[in-house]
Amino acid sequence: MDSKFFKLLLLGGAVRFYFCRTPLAPMIGNRVEFATPLNSHKRMQEGIFLLQNGIDPYQGDLVHESPLILSALSGLFQKYPHFLPIFYIILDVCTAALLYAMSLRFVKQKQEQQDVERKEYAKDTEELQFNPLDKFDIPELVIVAYLFNPLTVMSCIGMTSTVISNLFLAFFFYCLVKGLLLPCLLVLAFETVRSFYPIVLIAPLLLVFSRNSIRRGVAISVLFIVSCLLVAIANYFVLNSWNFLDGTLGFIFYFRDLQPNIGLFWYFFTEMFEHFRTMFLITFQLNATVLYLVPLSIKLRKEPLLLATVLVALMAVFRAYPSLGDVGFYLALLPLWKRCWKFMAHGFVVFTFFLVTLSMMGALWHLWIYAGSANANFYFGATLAFSTGQIFLITDLLFAHVKREFCLFNGQKILIDGEEARIVLK
């Protein structure tokens, strides 16, 4: 880690500190694109106040943060509220540092794997291979993509608990690449009990640590279940009640709050007939968790970190209460797959989707809620287009990876009947 790394961290922290002192910060904390019922700073404040006064925060339907987080942050919220922006900035900077360290280790591993496989590579594939400069370029791109992405910056200055989630996910990625099983299990169990959807990350964890051993995989799965139970018991001792399970996991699964967000749940559950609710709940939650898990795990069994990246991206699209902070996190992981960019064909389309839809969300929200000259269809249309752009990005990355793997071993120019062949997605 050189001086440039620390300069980037300081600059990223300075950018966040500057915007925390502007009127933009409280406005972002109230925007539905960033603050959801799960990560809202105001709801966390309310939960800490209730907990400090001996009232069960989960008796109502307002607080949905885990008791351990509420208890851990209660002293800071109650005694030093003026230092809260700095606290969130430090957490976000730590997330960037973990992603940088993870990237360094990842590039080193890919270069070692490449040295073993190079004899099998085709002759014209040098540009598809990791080169010595990548150990500097890729980690720098990752840290820049996280620290200076407007989505992560605004999520931080809005003091949403997505900052905490991003820190835990970054630590999970770091431990996954470093081969640290126990920390991986503990942080994944904590995030699973806290927000449900990270349970799908057990798949890349098993691919890394089971080493094609079914017995070892079963043992790790049992350890994960035990870790989840221990985290749940720790939450119980904070509250002396199991109400938090319904207030966190139950609230997410049953989707009780229909507040609009950038996701796909709220509009459907607002418009549909009540007797279809159970069917849609099961369908939407399956789509957000296990539907893509098995096929992606089979296809990406040799690339567990790419599998983890794709699963985090799919979580950001299909979870019940997504926010733009979740999107910013997985966008920072895309530079890891720099060697696939050559085959990504929809970059301009995705960029246009993101730019136009993110610009329209604020305007359409104002027209709907304040001006009264639009309705929910307008705002949902923008969020639906935004989700479509994310799906384009994820599928483009997956297909680019498949094409790169094929070209590495078969060459970039393949002739069939005297004409250059093309790999086409059907």
Side-chain angles (χ1 to χ4, degrees):
M1 296 183 182
D2 54 12
S3 60
K4 191 173 183 180
F5 162 74
F6 294 103
K7 290 177 182 177
L8 287 171
L9 289 182
L10 288 173
L11 184 58
V15 168
R16 285 159 170 76
F17 183 74
Y18 170 78
F19 282 108
C20 278
R21 301 170 64 86
T22 66
L24 182 65
M27 184 184 76
I28 293 298
N30 293 319
R31 291 296 308 180
V32 295
E33 294 88 358
F34 291 94
T36 71
L38 294 182
N39 69 1
S40 170
H41 178 69
K42 290 183 176 180
R43 294 194 183 219
M44 185 179 288
Q45 280 183 313
E46 183 70 19
I48 290 173
F49 177 81
L50 293 173
L51 190 65
Q52 288 293 309
N53 287 274
I55 303 171
D56 187 347
Y58 307 100
Q59 285 183 344
D61 202 30
L62 185 66
V63 181
H64 310 291
E65 186 56 80
S66 69
L68 282 174
I69 295 291
L70 295 179
S71 178
L73 298 183
S74 60
L76 183 63
F77 270 73
Q78 295 289 329
K79 298 179 181 178
Y80 309 102
H82 298 297
F83 290 99
L84 280 172
I86 296 176
F87 171 72
Y88 279 94
I89 291 171
I90 292 172
L91 292 185
D92 225 25
V93 169
C94 289
T95 301
L98 283 170
L99 291 176
Y100 182 86
M102 178 272 295
S103 305
L104 285 173
R105 179 67 177 174
F106 169 76
V107 174
K108 183 179 179 181
Q109 288 179 350
K110 296 302 289 185
Q111 289 176 335
E112 291 172 353
Q113 177 188 349
Q114 189 173 271
D115 291 338
V116 175
E117 297 177 347
R118 184 171 280 119
K119 295 178 182 178
E120 304 175 20
Y121 289 164
K123 293 182 179 180
D124 60 339
T125 58
E126 286 76 13
E127 64 176 322
L128 303 180
Q129 300 175 27
F130 287 86
N131 60 52
L133 291 177
D134 284 337
K135 67 180 179 181
F136 304 107
D137 294 343
I138 290 178
E140 286 180 6
L141 285 172
V142 168
I143 194 172
V144 167
Y146 187 83
L147 284 176
F148 304 105
N149 187 331
L151 303 183
T152 54
V153 171
M154 287 191 279
S155 182
C156 178
I157 67 173
M159 293 190 290
T160 65
S161 62
T162 301
V163 173
I164 302 173
S165 298
N166 288 348
L167 177 63
F168 286 132
L169 286 176
F171 186 68
F172 171 81
F173 273 80
Y174 174 76
C175 295
L176 193 68
V177 172
K178 291 285 287 184
L180 305 174
L181 175 58
L182 189 57
C184 246
L185 283 172
L186 289 176
V187 74
L188 182 58
F190 185 85
E191 268 299 284
T192 298
V193 174
R194 181 169 171 258
S195 54
F196 179 60
Y197 295 103
I199 191 174
V200 298
L201 294 175
I202 189 65
L205 187 148
L206 289 173
L207 290 174
V208 171
F209 294 105
S210 65
R211 298 169 187 169
N212 298 320
S213 170
I214 296 178
R215 181 177 298 179
R216 185 177 175 85
V218 171
I220 292 174
S221 300
V222 171
L223 278 175
F224 174 68
I225 295 171
V226 171
S227 300
C228 289
L229 290 174
L230 290 175
V231 172
I233 292 171
N235 280 293
Y236 169 81
F237 283 123
V238 171
L239 198 63
N240 289 322
S241 169
W242 292 105
N243 289 343
F244 75 92
L245 288 175
D246 185 63
T248 53
L249 299 181
F251 176 80
I252 295 170
F253 183 81
Y254 291 108
F255 193 69
R256 298 193 184 114
D257 195 318
L258 300 180
Q259 173 181 308
N261 52 53
I262 64 166
L264 304 173
F265 275 64
W266 67 271
Y267 185 83
F268 286 95
F269 283 88
T270 301
E271 297 293 329
M272 72 178 183
F273 293 110
E274 188 63 25
H275 55 273
F276 289 122
R277 182 176 177 84
T278 302
M279 183 194 72
F280 273 96
L281 268 176
I282 295 172
T283 303
F284 273 63
Q285 298 294 5
L286 285 175
N287 182 64
T289 51
V290 300
L291 185 62
Y292 309 103
L293 186 60
V294 174
L296 285 175
S297 299
I298 294 173
K299 183 61 184 177
L300 302 177
R301 60 190 180 279
K302 295 181 181 179
E303 292 287 352
L305 197 66
L306 178 58
L307 174 62
T309 302
V310 172
L311 291 175
V312 168
L314 290 173
M315 278 193 286
V317 178
F318 294 120
R319 68 196 306 166
Y321 301 99
S323 73
L324 290 179
D326 301 319
V327 178
F329 179 81
Y330 81 77
L331 289 179
L333 300 174
L334 295 183
L336 294 174
W337 317 107
K338 179 184 175 183
R339 290 300 157 192
C340 296
W341 288 359
K342 171 184 170 65
F343 299 109
M344 294 183 70
H346 304 299
F348 177 75
V349 175
V350 170
F351 175 76
T352 305
F353 261 102
F354 275 48
L355 183 63
V356 173
T357 55
L358 289 174
S359 302
M360 289 176 63
M361 283 181 194
L364 294 176
W365 178 264
H366 178 82
L367 290 175
W368 174 25
I369 300 298
Y370 298 101
S373 57
N375 55 39
N377 297 315
F378 288 72
Y379 186 75
F380 179 69
T383 60
L384 182 61
F386 180 66
S387 298
T388 303
Q390 293 184 79
I391 295 300
F392 278 4
L393 176 60
I394 296 167
T395 54
D396 201 19
L397 175 62
L398 287 171
F399 191 43
H401 168 72
V402 171
K403 287 194 285 188
R404 175 182 177 270
E405 288 295 306
F406 179 84
C407 290
L408 272 176
F409 295 97
N410 297 278
Q412 298 192 65
K413 294 183 179 180
I414 302 170
L415 300 179
I416 298 178
D417 296 331
E419 296 183 1
E420 186 175 347
R422 297 178 62 189
I423 304 174
V424 180
L425 181 63
K426 293 185 178 181

